[in-house]
């Protein structure tokens, strides 16, 4: 057994398998913990360092692999997820837009609005107003009957002109 002592050590056998796949991207099993971490901590300021620590690689290497795997940078992914969550909160709650901005991790309402418009083409306020109009329209069609009648055409015109924040009070004020 003396001959093993003098044999050079193959360092490649001692190293942990590489993080990146052969094509230089992350596997699903490697990417998922980082994505889960982002979603769990979306409401706070996320750094590249803390996300990269989840899968134990350097921030620069993580950013490179993440972009190669997903097609976007980690920062853009975080922004997209924040906008997606803000859109959900706009539709499911009546929270103020400024409160939604803070809840999804933006530093201010203006930052949310800027990113929201860049990604969706609309401001959060426009999205909320469209949802109010849509809800009011659905209520009017349900309450006043069939599509196509003159009454419904007039209701649709009035519904499109609604500007109020509380749709049900607005509907009752029409008649």
């Amino acid at each position: 057994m003396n001959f093993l002592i003098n044999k050079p050590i193959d360092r490649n056998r001692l190293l942990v398998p590489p993080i990146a796949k052969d094509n230089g991207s992350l596997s699903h099993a490697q990417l998922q913990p980082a994505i889960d971490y982002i979603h769990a901590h979306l409401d706070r300021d996320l750094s590249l360092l803390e996300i990269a620590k989840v899968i134990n690689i350097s921030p620069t290497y993580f950013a490179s692999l993440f972009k190669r795997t997903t097609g976007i940078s980690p920062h853009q992914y975080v922004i997209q997820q924040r906008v997606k969550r803000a859109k959900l909160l706009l539709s499911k709650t009546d929270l103020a837009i400024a409160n939604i901005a803070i809840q999804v991790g933006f530093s201010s309402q203006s930052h949310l609005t800027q990113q929201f418009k860049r990604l969706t083409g609309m401001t959060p306020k426009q999205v909320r107003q469209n949802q109010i109009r849509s809800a009011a329209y659905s209520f009017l069609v349900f309450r006043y009957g069939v599509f196509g009648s003159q009454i419904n055409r007039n209701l649709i015109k009035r519904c499109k002109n609604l500007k109020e924040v509380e749709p049900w009070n607005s509907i009752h004020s029409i008649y």
Side-chain angles (χ1 to χ4, degrees):
M1 298 285 167
N2 231 355
F3 64 91
L4 289 178
I5 295 174
N6 295 331
K7 191 173 182 181
I9 297 172
D10 182 6
R11 294 200 181 272
N12 290 331
R13 296 182 125 200
L14 298 176
L15 296 176
V16 180
I19 294 293
K21 295 191 299 188
D22 291 338
N23 64 357
S25 62
L26 296 168
S27 70
H28 177 74
Q30 295 162 326
L31 181 63
Q32 197 58 51
I35 288 178
D36 291 343
Y37 184 85
I38 289 169
H39 285 269
H41 299 92
L42 205 54
D43 60 334
R44 48 179 262 224
D45 192 22
L46 289 169
S47 72
L48 195 55
L49 176 64
E50 71 181 290
I51 300 169
K53 276 184 180 179
V54 172
I55 58 172
N56 297 318
I57 60 174
S58 77
T60 308
Y61 189 47
F62 170 73
S64 171
L65 294 176
F66 189 94
K67 184 165 185 167
R68 206 170 292 140
T69 305
T70 64
I72 59 173
S73 70
H75 177 72
Q76 284 307 310
Y77 180 79
V78 169
I79 296 295
Q80 284 180 2
Q81 297 311 304
R82 286 178 174 163
V83 167
K84 193 181 283 187
R85 190 171 290 175
K87 201 172 185 181
L88 180 68
L89 289 172
L90 283 167
S91 68
K92 301 288 183 195
T93 70
D94 61 350
L95 291 171
I97 295 171
N99 291 343
I100 290 174
I102 300 304
Q103 280 193 16
V104 299
F106 285 106
S107 58
S108 65
Q109 179 178 343
S110 64
H111 190 215
L112 166 64
T113 300
Q114 175 191 17
Q115 296 301 324
F116 199 98
K117 183 159 185 159
R118 183 178 66 80
L119 292 172
T120 68
M122 299 175 73
T123 66
K125 184 177 180 181
Q126 289 170 327
V127 167
R128 182 163 273 168
Q129 286 174 340
N130 284 347
Q131 289 168 347
I132 290 168
R133 286 187 193 112
S134 177
Y137 172 76
S138 297
F139 174 78
L140 292 173
V141 169
F142 174 75
R143 179 153 184 201
Y144 294 106
V146 213
F147 289 101
S149 71
Q150 185 59 43
I151 291 174
N152 282 332
R153 279 189 226 117
N154 289 336
L155 290 173
I156 291 168
K157 284 179 190 173
R158 289 180 184 177
C159 186
K160 286 181 180 175
N161 293 327
L162 288 177
K163 299 277 187 207
E164 291 85 1
V165 176
E166 298 178 48
W168 308 119
N169 291 339
S170 305
I171 292 167
H172 295 299
S173 68
I174 291 174
Y175 289 94

